[in-house]
Amino acid sequence: MKTKTDFLIIGSGIAGLSYALKVAEHGNVCMITKANEDESNTKYAQGGIAAVMYSPDSYEKHISDTLIAGDGICDEEVVRMVITESTERVNELISWGAKFDKTSSGEYDLAKEGGHSEHRILHHKDNTGFEIERALLAAVHKHPNIKILDHHFAIDILTQHHLGIEVNSRTPGIECYGAYVLNLRSNKIETILAKTILMATGGAGHVYSTTTNPTIATGDGVAMVYRAKGRVEGMEFYQFHPTSLYNPGESPSFLVSEAVRGFGGILKTVDGKEFMEKYDARKSLAPRDIVARAIDNEMKTRGDDYVYLDCRHLDKKELIKHFPNIYQKCLSIGIDMMTDYVPVVPAAHYMCGGIQVDKNGCSSIKNLYAVGECSSTGLHGANRLASNSLLEAVVYGHRAALNAIEVIRNTNFCEAIPDWDAEGTAHPEEMVLLIQSLREVQAIMTNYVGIVRSDLRLQRAFDRLEILYKENESLYLTTTVSPKLCELRNLINVAYIIIKHARKRKESRGLHYTVNYPKGTDNE
Ligand code: FAD
Ligand code: SIN
């Protein structure tokens, strides 16, 4: 079965939804999403969205903070562009219905997070992402040109390869014509032809054993583009959030927002001693790579399973007002933030690298855009500044939309694309194989490619992953396609790219820390 659309969007988080609202004025939009329409990393964002709203903040300060967090390899032009568009894009989110908290004087109540020199995080209590997702979905539902197909899983994007033409990473002019999509209600694989395609599939936290990301975050977009020979960069920079709630057995891990530290929460070892001053003058509010590494070091040298976040000195009424969900979550496992320490550990949180795009969100593949966490724009460099990702998604959603609106005028559908060929794949999968392989990938990545790396660990990870790759590819070729099988394949691809990029970087920078090349040595 073939469907045609001007704009195909894969993913219904902030990136896909904000782009949809813009392009829908110029053509028909088909948005596919693999789970319920609101399920996304966006929905779980807590802290908020960074934007310059009032003095004493300024674009220059936000630019400087972003460049410092990125540890010398942000694209400064991109940083300037994104930050100077922040106010306009946030006001647009507000015009679409997103509500952010205000102070009694009517100004936005701006929070502070690690690496920010000013209060500049707009938030809706401690569930900002839920509010943004709600508002954008409501606006999208009202638009007659947008159709959302939930429980539709994108398997691969369509290129010349599907016309029988050999494509490799040096092939000039690779083009995207749409996607093969598994309809999870009918269990049929459909062909969606499109004039332009937006990849907005989010992150890949589940490549690690412990993550703050919901289960949809399996790196599907990056893997699809990599398989289609598009450019992917910066994958060695996987951000670990310093403070996920230590609650063994709970997956995904519940996040304790950095805004809690911005509000005065202090990190301590299990014997109640502060330790961050040993690592950085900004202490608990240093950029995330530094705080996560410090916690990891304290846990390893002391043999502890977690550190504490101490909030007992904070004003109870204000704490509950700002962080009602975090407070309730802690209470639900027997921790009262006002009287007890909160045990926290780092967890995989954000993919700084991804599908390489230019300032209009165009990937290296013609007619294929990438926006949001699956993309690599140059904004984050070696480490993302907190709350810059929701911002990046709306700025690039806007820019990609302006570009795609022009592109569809001169683009035709590629009618010659054949329907999916299921030849030879009649066997149902064996779940035990998939589950075991998934655990192995996550263990390899967590133990060898986590917060601290070494040449030997990366080599070992590479060798182990190769076995899993071969096993899974042969399974994929003979087995009926299912989301679990595809997600495992995608995670193996993503793990491979992370390891490959990490092995290439012969230095410690930002989130990529290796004991073989300590910070400050010149190893190029
Ligand atoms: P997502 O919101 O993840 O959406 C991806 C979409 O793609 C989903 O709808 C998914 O179902 C769909 N999808 C994926 N694969 C497929 C496929 N194969 N086929 C079909 N559909 C597919 N950032 C901030 O700036 N501020 C914060 O305060 C903040 N807090 C966070 C807290 C948590 C707990 C987490 C996990 C992240 C947080 N982040 C925060 C990061 C931020 O939420 C994400 O980077 C951002 O929401 C990503 O948006 P997105 O639209 O790119 O992807
Ligand atoms: C948080 O609230 O700590 C998450 C913010 C982010 O990831 O940007």
Side-chain angles (χ1 to χ4, degrees), residues 10-17 32-50 113 121 128-129 133 152-155 181 200-203 211-214 216-221 224 241 253-255 257 288 348-350 371-375 384-391 393 487 490:
I10 307 177
S12 57
I14 187 171
L17 293 169
I32 62 158
T33 190
K34 68 179 175 180
N36 290 340
E37 61 180 13
D38 66 341
E39 192 56 5
S40 57
N41 273 4
T42 300
K43 181 180 169 185
Y44 299 94
Q46 291 186 356
I49 180 164
E113 292 178 357
I121 320 291
T128 311
E133 186 74 19
H152 278 63
F153 188 105
I155 299 171
V181 176
T201 46
T211 177
T212 61
N213 293 186
I216 53 96
T218 50
D220 300 355
M224 282 188 264
H241 196 292
S253 302
F254 182 80
L255 183 73
S257 175
R288 252 174 220 180
H349 183 65
Y350 184 85
V371 172
E373 190 165 339
C374 69
S375 69
R384 175 181 65 105
L385 183 67
S387 290
N388 263 357
S389 43
L390 294 172
L391 173 64
E487 287 179 346
N490 293 334

